[in-house]
């Protein structure tokens, strides 16, 4: 047994398993080479540091010496942190869907030495529960199939791998063909996107708020679409959004310190699943009202923020009280009692994409609610990421901890979400350096400059990013940033690229919005006439700055700059700011970069914003 492979890992999740009586490997070619040499299957167990059921399965199974001995003898065992390796997780999830629709973590998969999944499930208990077999039974059945029906195993594994590969190829071909003739890709119409609100009204839980039954999630991409639709003039969407946010704010899903838990296990938003993820809270910031946003920002600042300003990934559901590891008890105590107890531990990974999502949410909320501290927190996080995770306009680190930088490759999630966050921050602060980096990141993303994992490449099962349900996807964020750059630079190729990225996702969203809403708001903006609003003033309290807040809507880009900043944006190649440094104060309302006469007062600006496009 070698229990030191995971002991030096950067990942906090892998380090939690360093002392198991299991000869764990990290994901990589070496593990699969050993499996080929020994002629045994590969067990790949996927989870993350704050996953409660991952902890449970670890205590019940991976800490069991007998199971450890069985795994050492007949398998090669691999641990994967899904936060560190979303590319591996996405591929294994795609394969696992052939065996179960109840996908989640821990994800338990069995692969051939060639990297093809031939059986998968999630949490397996120590003894059978209903139709769910015990983990020992699963291991015995897998080993029996491997030794007695190897031909069948290999055939099934190959079929699943072929299906994954063909699906990825079809998606890539469709994206390449869409818009190849110079026309805009086939985005769903405005009418089709607006009709989604009616579908969501039918799915609303009119008793408790939100959508669907138990378990009930915040579903921040869905809420963001409703916010976009509401700003586009959809009163029904506005009501749905308001009721959903109220239900989240008033329920047990929101903790006393303002942070929001991952989901509620009951339909009435009670009995939370107590882990608190950066991405849920960051996503809610972009749509929440002033009081709710302030509470979330306080949680990010006080609990998830590191000394350098970057945010860690999550806070655990479990803590140690009176020597016992318990779930949720710390959160159920009054705040005055909590300070006397050790808090639940943090997942101390700094993930580039998740920080980009937080930067965006803080910038949007800080601007909407006139809260300079939120914008300052966003700026500190951005500066921390740019110092340690970005080099010369390229994301070079996906994940880091106090123990160093992970070797995991950057993904479209990192590039897209950070680019969108930096661009929002640039527009709010007027600081062009953030926009310059965002433009470089978007160019990287559109050029598809991502390393493909060697094992997935060899197996032909690299899927790219999977559709997101819990958080804004990197693909959608990349599209939104590209659309913004089209307005700022005058380069229509960015807009075409944005449409190509979201066309298929948005079409799926019109058909199944509860799980695929994240592209709808961007698609709606691309279908609306482009509108650009630039406020130029050296007075941070000029009424023009306040008057423009109400102009945010799909298809509109808003920037506030000083005359000096306007000149810097123009010099950096953002044509929208050309010759905008001559008047102070002045506000420019443009449609597809054709601008009306500058407004010099808040009243004139309001009239200009209300005027239709020429």
């Amino acid at each position: 047994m070698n229990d030191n492979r995971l002991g030096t890992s950067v990942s906090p999740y892998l380090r939690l398993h360093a002392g198991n009586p299991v000869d764990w490997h990290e994901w990589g070619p070496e593990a699969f080479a050993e499996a080929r040499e020994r002629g045994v299957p590969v067990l790949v167990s996927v989870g993350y540091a704050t996953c409660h059921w991952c902890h449970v399965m670890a205590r019940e199974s991976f800490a069991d010496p007998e199971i450890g001995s069985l795994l050492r003898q007949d398998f090669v065992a691999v641990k994967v942190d899904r936060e560190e390796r979303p590319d591996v997780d996405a591929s294994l999830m795609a394969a696992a869907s052939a065996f179960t629709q109840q996908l989640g973590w821990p994800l338990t998969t069995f692969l051939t030495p060639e990297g093809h999944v031939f059986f998968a499930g999630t949490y397996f208990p120590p003894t059978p529960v209903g139709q769910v077999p015990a983990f020992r039974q699963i291991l015995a059945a897998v080993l029996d199939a491997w030794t007695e029906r190897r031909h069948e195993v290999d055939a099934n594994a190959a079929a699943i791998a072929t299906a994954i590969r063909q699906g990825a190829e079809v998606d890539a071909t469709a994206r390449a063909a869409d818009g190849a003739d110079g026309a805009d890709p086939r985005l769903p119409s405005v009418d089709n996107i607006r009709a989604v609100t009616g579908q969501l009204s039918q799915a609303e839980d009119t008793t408790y708020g939100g959508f669907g039954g138990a378990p009930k999630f915040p579903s921040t991409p869905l809420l963001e679409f409703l916010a976009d639709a509401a700003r586009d003039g959809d009163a029904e969407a506005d009501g749905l959004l308001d009721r959903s946010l109220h239900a989240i704010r008033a329920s047990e899903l929101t903790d006393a310190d303002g942070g929001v838990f991952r989901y509620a296990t009951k339909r009435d938003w009670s009995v939370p699943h107590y882990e608190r993820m950066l991405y849920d809270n960051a996503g809610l910031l972009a749509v929440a009202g002033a009081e709710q946003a302030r509470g979330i920002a306080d949680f990010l600042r006080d609990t998830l923020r590191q000394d350098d300003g970057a945010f860690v990934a999550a806070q655990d559901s479990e803590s140690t009280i009176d020597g016992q590891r318990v779930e949720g008890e710390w959160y159920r105590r009054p705040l005055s009692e909590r300070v006397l107890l050790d808090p639940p531990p943090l997942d101390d990974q700094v993930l580039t994409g998740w920080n980009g999502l937080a930067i965006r949410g803080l910038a949007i909320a800080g601007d909407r609610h006139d809260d300079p501290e939120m914008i300052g927190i966003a700026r500190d996080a951005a500066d921390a990421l740019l110092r340690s995770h970005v080099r010369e306009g390229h994301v070079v680190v996906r994940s880091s901890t106090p123990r160093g930088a992970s070797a995991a490759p950057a993904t479209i999630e990192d590039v897209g979400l950070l680019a969108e966050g930096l661009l929002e921050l640039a527009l709010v602060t007027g600081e062009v350096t953030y926009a310059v980096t965002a433009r470089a990141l978007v160019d990287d993303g559109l050029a598809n400059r991502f390393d493909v994992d060697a094992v997935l490449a060899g197996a032909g099962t690299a899927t790219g990013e999977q559709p997101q349900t819990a958080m804004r996807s990197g693909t959608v964020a990349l599209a939104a940033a590209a659309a913004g750059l089209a307005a700022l630079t005058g380069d229509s190729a960015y807009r075409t690229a944005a449409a190509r990225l979201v066309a298929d996702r948005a079409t799926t969203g019109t058909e199944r919005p509860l799980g695929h809403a994240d592209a709808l708001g961007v698609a709606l903006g691309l279908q609306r006439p482009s509108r650009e609003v630039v406020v130029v003033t050296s007075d941070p309290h000029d009424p023009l700055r306040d008057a423009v807040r109400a102009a945010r809507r799909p298809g509109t880009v808003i920037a506030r700059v000083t005359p000096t900043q306007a000149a810097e944006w123009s010099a950096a190649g953002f044509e929208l700011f050309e010759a905008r440094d001559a008047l102070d104060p002045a506000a420019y309302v443009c449609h597809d970069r054709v601008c009306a006469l500058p407004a010099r007062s808040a009243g004139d600006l309001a009239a200009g914003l209300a005027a239709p496009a020429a």
Side-chain angles (χ1 to χ4, degrees):
M1 181 183 75
N2 182 348
D3 63 357
N4 293 320
R5 284 195 187 92
L6 304 188
T8 58
S9 174
V10 168
S11 160
Y13 176 64
L14 299 191
R15 290 170 71 94
L16 287 174
H17 291 268
N20 290 164
V22 177
D23 194 13
W24 289 115
H25 296 65
E26 291 197 43
W27 176 274
E30 295 80 7
F32 289 86
E34 180 180 326
R36 283 193 296 274
E37 181 179 344
R38 291 173 51 198
V40 298
V42 181
L43 162 70
V44 181
S45 174
V46 185
Y48 56 100
T50 61
C51 167
H52 170 64
W53 288 104
C54 300
H55 298 332
V56 172
M57 191 166 176
R59 289 191 288 265
E60 293 173 345
S61 297
F62 299 133
D64 185 320
E66 291 183 8
I67 287 180
S69 177
L70 177 61
L71 290 175
R72 290 196 305 273
Q73 177 177 325
D74 295 317
F75 298 83
V76 169
V78 175
K79 261 290 172 191
V80 172
D81 183 338
R82 69 166 294 259
E83 295 173 353
E84 184 182 37
R85 297 304 307 263
D87 52 342
V88 175
D89 180 59
S91 175
L92 297 181
M93 277 287 181
S97 66
F99 301 95
T100 177
Q101 296 305 306
Q102 304 300 315
L103 297 173
W105 301 277
L107 178 64
T108 305
T109 58
F110 295 90
L111 286 71
T112 68
E114 292 70 40
H116 298 156
V117 174
F118 65 89
F119 183 73
T122 52
Y123 163 77
F124 290 110
T127 58
V129 177
Q131 299 299 311
V132 181
F135 188 53
R136 282 186 176 84
Q137 292 174 307
I138 290 293
L139 294 178
V142 166
L143 193 58
D144 178 72
W146 182 259
T147 56
E148 303 298 329
R149 300 185 302 280
R150 179 66 180 276
H151 178 74
E152 180 181 333
V153 166
D154 289 340
N156 289 341
I160 293 169
T162 298
I164 292 172
R165 182 172 59 253
Q166 289 176 343
E169 290 171 352
V170 168
D171 289 345
T173 301
R175 287 193 296 270
D178 225 357
D181 59 358
D184 283 342
R186 293 181 294 277
L187 292 165
S189 68
V190 169
D191 287 344
N192 284 344
I193 296 173
R194 292 287 291 267
V196 169
T197 303
Q199 296 183 51
L200 296 176
S201 291
Q202 294 298 313
E204 183 185 19
D205 182 341
T206 56
T207 302
Y208 298 111
F211 303 93
K216 189 168 281 184
F217 290 80
S219 302
T220 54
L222 183 59
L223 298 180
E224 180 133 6
F225 163 66
L226 290 173
D228 286 332
R231 285 191 288 266
D232 196 56
D234 187 335
E236 186 178 15
D238 191 40
L240 285 168
L241 174 66
D242 185 66
R243 291 190 294 274
S244 295
L245 289 173
H246 175 77
I248 293 169
R249 183 174 67 251
S251 72
E252 293 178 31
L253 201 70
T254 297
D255 189 32
D257 66 1
V260 177
F261 298 112
R262 184 164 170 249
Y263 65 86
T265 61
K266 303 295 185 182
R267 178 189 162 200
D268 64 358
W269 296 100
S270 65
V271 192
H273 191 66
Y274 284 100
E275 60 193 301
R276 302 198 285 187
M277 313 301 295
L278 174 60
Y279 62 76
D280 287 320
N281 288 274
L284 282 168
L285 270 172
V287 297
E291 181 182 352
Q292 191 172 23
R294 184 65 256 176
I296 293 171
D298 288 347
F299 163 66
L300 296 187
R301 180 197 64 204
D302 298 339
T303 302
L304 298 188
R305 186 169 67 159
Q306 296 191 137
D307 291 343
D308 66 355
F311 299 104
V312 300
Q315 187 175 31
D316 210 318
S317 61
E318 299 183 353
S319 62
T320 301
I321 298 179
D322 296 332
Q324 298 294 316
R325 184 84 168 175
V326 290
E327 185 198 14
E329 180 60 29
W330 188 84
Y331 298 105
R332 289 189 287 267
R333 301 285 182 99
L335 290 177
S336 59
E337 290 185 22
R338 291 188 198 178
V339 297
L340 305 176
L341 302 169
D342 290 334
L346 299 175
D347 175 348
D348 64 359
Q349 287 189 95
V350 172
L351 299 167
T352 298
W354 294 18
N355 271 261
L357 192 65
I359 292 164
R360 174 178 181 262
L362 286 162
I364 291 173
D367 179 52
R368 179 185 297 132
H369 306 305
D370 194 17
D371 190 323
E373 188 196 14
M374 290 189 198
I375 296 172
I377 295 171
R379 190 199 306 266
D380 289 345
D383 292 345
L385 267 290
L386 292 176
R387 285 193 300 269
S388 58
H389 284 209
V390 177
R391 185 176 304 125
E392 297 179 354
H394 308 287
V395 175
V396 294
V397 175
R398 168 173 171 77
S399 168
S400 68
T401 72
R403 297 169 295 281
S406 168
T411 68
I412 194 169
E413 176 181 286
D414 302 302
V415 171
L417 289 172
L418 183 59
E420 189 180 25
L422 291 176
L423 194 58
E424 287 283 0
L425 185 61
L427 294 172
V428 168
T429 63
E431 296 183 22
V432 71
T433 54
Y434 296 128
V436 169
T437 302
R439 182 174 58 192
L441 295 175
V442 169
D443 290 343
D444 266 5
L446 296 181
N448 199 33
R449 296 188 183 119
F450 304 106
D451 294 333
V452 178
D453 176 77
V455 175
L456 299 179
T461 57
T463 62
E465 188 183 48
Q466 292 296 294
Q468 298 284 327
T469 57
M471 64 177 280
R472 191 171 181 85
S473 77
T475 299
V476 169
L478 181 64
L485 287 173
L488 296 169
T489 65
D491 186 347
S492 62
Y494 281 123
R495 188 177 177 91
T496 300
R500 184 176 299 118
L501 285 169
V502 298
D504 289 342
R505 284 175 176 260
T507 298
T508 301
T510 62
E511 299 162 351
R512 291 177 286 160
L514 287 178
H516 301 273
D518 64 351
L520 290 172
V522 176
L524 182 60
L526 290 168
Q527 290 287 49
R528 290 303 191 193
S530 173
R531 184 174 69 161
E532 304 83 33
V533 184
V534 180
V535 172
V536 183
T537 176
S538 54
D539 180 0
H541 304 293
D542 194 296
L544 285 173
R545 287 181 171 269
D546 293 329
V548 80
R549 283 195 175 95
R552 188 179 180 101
R553 73 181 192 203
T556 295
V557 171
I558 302 170
R560 299 179 191 82
V561 292
T562 66
T564 299
Q565 288 175 330
E568 291 170 346
W569 281 76
S570 177
F574 296 95
E575 293 182 1
L576 182 64
F577 298 86
E578 187 173 345
R580 299 291 184 232
D581 58 339
L583 296 177
D584 179 11
Y588 304 85
V589 179
C590 316
H591 293 89
D592 197 19
R593 300 181 309 284
V594 177
C595 303
L597 292 174
R600 307 300 301 278
S601 69
D604 289 343
L605 175 56
L609 291 171

